[in-house]
Amino acid sequence: MIIKAAIGAAGLAFGAASFASSEQLPNDTCKVPFDNTPVGCFPGAISAGSSENSQGFRNYAVKQFYALNWPVTDISSRAPDLSKNPAPFDISVWQTWQTKTDLTQGTKPSLTTQNKQEIAAILKTLNIDSNTAYAQHLEYLHDTDIPDQDHQPLVAIDKSKLHFEVYYNDVAVNDLNNFAKNNYQFTTGSTTEPKRGAIVAKGAWRIIPQSEYSTVSQYHSSLACIYSDSNVCDIQVVGLTGLHIANKMNPLQSTETTCEGLTCKNIKISEWSWTTFEYYQNAPSVASKADFNNIDKTVSWLLYDNSQIEQNIKNCTKDDLLAINNTSCVVNQVPTTTTQPAQIIRFQPSDRNFKVENLSEKICQGSGLSSLDYSSCLTILAYTKTPNVSPLQNYRLIENVWVDTRGNILPAYSGNNTVDKIIRNSSMEPFDRSVSQDNLDCAACHRHAKYDGMFTVPSIIKGDK
Amino acid sequence: MTTALINDLCCMQLLYAQATKPELRQITNSIYSTLISEPENRAILRDKYYIPNSRVSVVNTTAEMSIEYADKLVQISGSKAAAILVNQQLGEVAYRCVFTADRTPIFELAGGASVPSSAPTVSEEQQKALVLTLWHLAFNDSDREEFLNSQNKASVLQGIEVDGNALNAEISTWIDEQVQAQNITDLKDFIGFYLYKATW
C-alpha cells in the first residue's frame, strides 16, 4: 500500500515525474482543445477574451476539473497518465496531493492484517484488479466537521457522517513551506510565462455501505481508511459528494485607484477563483412551493428525506415561495443533535432555467438553457461519450465565483429572488441560509481569512491539527 | 446604408446570438485563450462562429460582417488586454447603433478600462436584458426613434421586452440620466463593460 508522502521536518516531498513538476501545464504532450474534450492539462491562468467574464471563469473551471480528475497510474508521481482516458474506478490527480492531515503532521493509522484482508475482499466484490491505482490508494479520512462551520458535522439521510479533507497542489505546499519569505502570499498562475498557481481543493466524501455497492459506479469513489482518535482504520468505500477548488489563476490587476472597505478586501483576493462541483443527487433544487411538489420522489437524495416534503411545504413556504426564515422551517438548519440527519435543499437561483439535478444529455443538447445551465452540462456532454465514459458525468458545476478588477464579487445576483444570494453548495456549506448584501458566497467568506484568502493556513504553518 | 454601419449592425446581431445561444458563447470563449499560441484557430473563430452568427436581413438583402471586421474582433479577443479592447469596441458599436440619430461614429472615444462609479452593478440576467434591449433598438427604427425622442427614456427602455427579458428601473434610469446629461464616454464605458461580460 502506497501512502501519500507526509511532510517531514527536513522539508517537502515532491513527485519526480516531469509532468507532475510541470503541474499539468499544457506542453508538447498535452494540448488543451477549445472544444469540450477532457484532457489532462489546463492553462496556468485565465487569459485574453476569457478574462473578466463569467463564461471565461466557468470554462476555465471545467477544463481544470477535467485535468485535476485525470486518472493517475503511478500514485507517487502525482502525475496524470496521459495514455489513459477517464473511466470508472479512477484515482484522480488531486487525490494524490498532500492533504491538510499530511501538512499538519497528523498521525495516520497503520494498516493491520485485517485491514488488508478487508481491502482485498472489497476489491474482489467490486471486481477490481489489485494492480490498479484504485487498489493502491487509500483516502485517510478523519474530519467529520464541515470545514469552517463551527465543528458541525453533516449527517446524511442514511445517518452516516460525511467526511472532509483538504488537498494542496505542490505549488501551494511549496508556498506554505516558504510562506513568510513569500510575504504570506500564494503563487499566482500565469500563461505569459507558463506557471501554475496555488490550488487548494476541499473534498466531501460519503461512506457507501456494502448494501449499495451495486451503485458505487455512479460515484467517483475510493477506498478509505476512516479513523477517529483511536487511530484504527475502518476500511470503507467512499463516494465523492463535492469538490470545491480554489485556484490562484487570475493575474489581472485591479484598475481601481481608490477602494473602500469590502471592495478593497475583495480586490486583495481577486487573483483567486472558487469553483464547486457536486454530485447531482445530493439534494433537490428548490425556490418555491411548486419546486417542493416537483421533487423527484424516486431519487434517494443523500441529504434530503422525501417523506418530509409535505411538512416542508407547510413550514418553509409562504405565498408559493420559499420562506426559510419561518421559525418552524428546518431545511438547511443545523440539526438539534450531531447524530441527526440534515434536511438539505439546494437553493435554485434565477440564472438557471433547469434544476441542476435534472440536466441530462438530451436536455443539454436541447434549447432553453441558460449560460450557467450549459456550463453545468459540459461534464455530462464530455463524460458520457466514449472514450471518456466516467461517473464524473454525475458531477455538475454548481458555480464559479470570482472578483473583477472593480472589486465586484461575481456572478452578481439581482436580489429579486432572495435565495439567489444564498450559497448553493449542499455538501460544503449546507447550513448557510442567510442573505448578505454583496453575495454571500465563496469570495465574501474567504476575504475574511487571515492569510491570502485561505482559512486552513494558520493551522498548517503553526503545525496545529 | 454604409458598409461600416452594416458591419456594426452585424456585430449587434452577433451579440444577440452570443447572449441567446449558450453553446455558441461557451465555445467561442474557449477559443480566445488559444488565439496567440494556435493561429489556426483565428480563422475557425471568424469563419465558423463569428461571421455566420452575424447574418442579418438589411434592406431586403442578407448581410454578414466583413472578413476584415471579423478579423478585428478576433484580434482583440485574443489580446491580453481583451477585457479593455473588447469593452471599448462593443461600447462604440452599441452607442453608434442605438444612441445616435444619424448612426455615425461619435468622435469622442471611451477608454474601455472601467465603468463610472455611479453606475449600478448589473446582474447576469440584466446583462442579458441589456444585450437584447440594445439589439432590439438597433434593428427597430420606429422604436429607436421613439427612444431617442422620448423625454422619459427610462420608461421606453423598461417597456422593451425581448424573449421575456427587460431592463429594470435602476439600470434604465441610469442610462436615461447619462443620455440626458450627454455623458457619452460614461455611457459607452458602461455599455461596453456589460456587453463584454454578457457576450464574450
Side-chain angles (χ1 to χ4, degrees):
Chain A
M1 180 67 57
I2 297 172
I3 298 172
K4 290 173 203 160
I7 190 169
L12 304 164
F14 285 100
S18 60
F19 207 81
S21 59
S22 76
E23 289 279 351
Q24 296 183 272
L25 289 165
N27 60 18
D28 291 342
T29 58
C30 185
K31 197 167 125 181
V32 184
F34 64 76
D35 69 13
N36 191 33
T37 307
V39 292
C41 56
F42 65 114
I46 199 152
S47 64
S50 298
S51 307
E52 290 284 293
N53 58 65
S54 285
Q55 184 65 65
F57 278 84
R58 289 170 184 158
N59 279 346
Y60 185 93
V62 171
K63 290 184 187 305
Q64 173 184 254
F65 183 82
Y66 294 157
L68 296 187
N69 278 293
W70 204 260
V72 172
T73 300
D74 174 7
I75 290 168
S76 63
S77 76
R78 294 204 284 279
D81 182 346
L82 298 181
S83 70
K84 293 185 75 176
N85 284 302
F89 302 109
D90 280 341
I91 296 300
S92 300
V93 170
W94 61 269
Q95 289 178 261
T96 68
W97 292 351
Q98 294 192 56
T99 64
K100 183 183 172 190
T101 306
D102 296 327
L103 297 172
T104 52
Q105 302 179 44
T107 308
K108 291 175 176 174
S110 300
L111 290 180
T112 63
T113 304
Q114 187 184 336
N115 289 151
K116 291 173 184 172
Q117 289 170 349
E118 288 165 349
I119 289 170
I122 291 172
L123 291 172
K124 189 177 177 187
T125 304
L126 297 178
N127 198 24
I128 295 171
D129 194 284
S130 60
N131 293 324
T132 59
Y134 191 92
Q136 294 172 11
H137 177 80
L138 266 189
E139 290 290 328
Y140 282 82
L141 299 173
H142 176 273
D143 290 345
T144 53
D145 290 350
I146 305 166
D148 315 314
Q149 295 274 309
D150 295 329
H151 306 294
Q152 183 62 44
L154 178 57
V155 182
I157 299 304
D158 67 4
K159 297 185 179 169
S160 66
K161 287 179 179 172
L162 267 63
H163 285 74
F164 301 91
E165 184 55 285
V166 186
Y167 306 77
Y168 298 77
N169 73 341
D170 283 352
V171 175
V173 172
N174 192 38
D175 287 343
L176 285 166
N177 207 32
N178 299 283
F179 217 44
K181 197 173 143 193
N182 294 344
N183 204 20
Y184 300 100
Q185 293 290 306
F186 286 99
T187 300
T188 304
S190 165
T191 52
T192 315
E193 193 181 316
K195 184 171 68 172
R196 176 66 63 216
I199 304 176
V200 181
K202 184 164 65 181
W205 299 92
R206 66 159 294 202
I207 292 172
I208 301 176
Q210 199 163 3
S211 59
E212 292 181 33
Y213 278 5
S214 59
T215 60
V216 71
S217 61
Q218 294 295 306
Y219 280 92
H220 177 74
S221 65
S222 178
L223 293 169
C225 160
I226 308 290
Y227 66 105
S228 60
D229 293 338
S230 63
N231 227 26
V232 176
C233 272
D234 171 20
I235 300 296
Q236 296 281 356
V237 176
V238 290
L240 187 69
T241 58
L243 184 64
H244 182 61
I245 306 169
N247 185 356
K248 209 169 176 188
M249 44 60 85
N250 180 17
L252 274 189
Q253 297 299 311
S254 171
T255 54
E256 296 287 304
T257 51
T258 57
C259 63
E260 292 179 359
L262 292 176
T263 301
C264 289
K265 282 183 180 283
N266 293 346
I267 286 172
K268 279 185 181 171
I269 56 165
S270 63
E271 292 177 31
W272 289 96
S273 85
W274 290 267
T275 313
T276 302
F277 288 83
E278 287 195 312
Y279 187 71
Y280 73 130
Q281 290 182 339
N282 279 357
S285 302
V286 175
S288 67
K289 184 177 176 181
D291 290 334
F292 271 122
N293 277 321
N294 291 331
I295 288 174
D296 186 347
K297 298 179 188 65
T298 65
V299 174
S300 297
W301 306 98
L302 180 68
L303 302 169
Y304 185 80
D305 183 352
N306 288 331
S307 72
Q308 297 300 305
I309 292 175
E310 288 305 320
Q311 194 69 18
N312 288 336
I313 289 174
K314 185 180 162 196
N315 293 336
C316 303
T317 63
K318 186 182 178 187
D319 299 332
D320 294 331
L321 290 176
L322 193 60
I324 52 169
N325 290 332
N326 289 352
T327 50
S328 50
C329 176
V330 297
V331 296
N332 296 33
Q333 188 74 278
V334 177
T336 49
T337 69
T338 56
T339 55
Q340 190 180 339
Q343 273 289 296
I344 303 298
I345 56 168
R346 194 190 296 288
F347 296 111
Q348 169 75 356
S350 56
D351 55 357
R352 281 194 187 279
N353 295 340
F354 291 87
K355 292 174 182 173
V356 72
E357 65 269 23
N358 289 347
L359 293 173
S360 64
E361 190 176 10
K362 187 179 174 189
I363 287 174
C364 291
Q365 289 169 336
S367 59
L369 296 155
S370 71
S371 173
L372 179 56
D373 287 333
Y374 190 73
S375 292
S376 298
C377 281
L378 294 173
T379 49
I380 301 171
L381 297 171
Y383 288 124
T384 50
K385 287 186 172 54
T386 53
N388 295 310
V389 176
S390 157
L392 294 170
Q393 66 184 272
N394 295 326
Y395 295 83
R396 311 279 154 82
L397 170 70
I398 302 304
E399 188 53 288
N400 172 279
V401 174
W402 58 288
V403 179
D404 74 7
T405 48
R406 294 180 71 203
N408 292 316
I409 299 173
L410 294 167
Y413 297 106
S414 63
N416 292 337
N417 184 353
T418 308
V419 299
D420 272 4
K421 292 192 174 185
I422 304 176
I423 209 158
R424 297 163 222 145
N425 300 337
S426 62
S427 62
M428 303 285 175
E429 292 90 1
F431 304 125
D432 273 324
R433 64 205 306 255
S434 57
V435 179
S436 81
Q437 290 182 342
D438 62 342
N439 290 337
L440 180 62
D441 53 32
C442 314
C445 179
H446 282 270
R447 69 186 171 203
H448 296 300
K450 186 176 177 185
Y451 295 109
D452 198 10
M454 288 297 114
F455 286 106
T456 53
V457 170
S459 62
I460 291 172
I461 60 178
K462 287 176 186 166
D464 298 333
K465 285 185 185 176
Chain B
M1 194 176 285
T2 64
T3 305
L5 177 57
I6 290 172
N7 272 325
D8 280 352
L9 287 170
C10 289
C11 183
M12 293 301 294
Q13 183 62 31
L14 174 62
L15 297 188
Y16 174 85
Q18 295 273 33
T20 55
K21 297 180 184 175
E23 69 283 6
L24 172 69
R25 187 169 171 223
Q26 189 274 326
I27 199 154
T28 52
N29 186 292
S30 286
I31 297 175
Y32 298 148
S33 59
T34 71
L35 292 170
I36 290 178
S37 59
E38 297 166 55
E40 66 274 18
N41 290 347
R42 298 169 194 170
I44 294 172
L45 179 60
R46 181 192 66 196
D47 299 336
K48 190 171 177 186
Y49 299 110
Y50 276 178
I51 290 179
N53 284 289
S54 76
R55 265 180 214 132
V56 289
S57 293
V58 181
V59 201
N60 298 325
T61 184
T62 300
E64 59 187 26
M65 70 175 54
S66 68
I67 288 175
E68 294 75 19
Y69 191 96
D71 275 339
K72 186 186 175 188
L73 292 183
V74 171
Q75 186 181 28
I76 59 177
S77 298
S79 163
K80 289 173 195 162
I84 294 172
L85 297 176
V86 180
N87 283 356
Q88 193 177 34
Q89 171 74 8
L90 300 186
E92 293 299 329
V93 169
Y95 192 88
R96 175 190 187 176
C97 291
V98 176
F99 294 91
T100 63
D102 61 0
R103 312 187 101 181
T104 55
I106 298 295
F107 183 80
E108 208 176 329
L109 274 178
S114 63
V115 292
S117 56
S118 66
T121 298
V122 182
S123 70
E124 206 158 308
E125 290 166 298
Q126 282 294 298
Q127 287 172 21
K128 184 175 180 183
L130 180 66
V131 179
L132 301 190
T133 301
L134 296 180
W135 169 82
H136 175 86
L137 287 170
F139 286 98
N140 288 273
D141 294 345
S142 57
D143 286 358
R144 188 175 62 259
E145 202 168 314
E146 182 196 351
F147 168 71
L148 291 173
N149 294 328
S150 172
Q151 294 304 306
N152 187 351
K153 291 181 170 49
S155 173
V156 177
L157 285 173
Q158 279 181 263
I160 297 168
E161 187 177 312
V162 184
D163 303 343
N165 299 274
L167 283 173
N168 65 25
E170 184 188 20
I171 296 166
S172 301
T173 302
W174 189 86
I175 292 173
D176 187 352
E177 288 167 356
Q178 308 318 304
V179 177
Q180 303 294 356
Q182 283 292 293
N183 290 336
I184 294 173
T185 54
D186 280 358
L187 191 50
K188 284 180 177 177
D189 274 337
F190 172 80
I191 293 168
F193 184 82
Y194 285 113
L195 290 188
Y196 172 74
K197 275 197 164 37
T199 63
W200 237 246

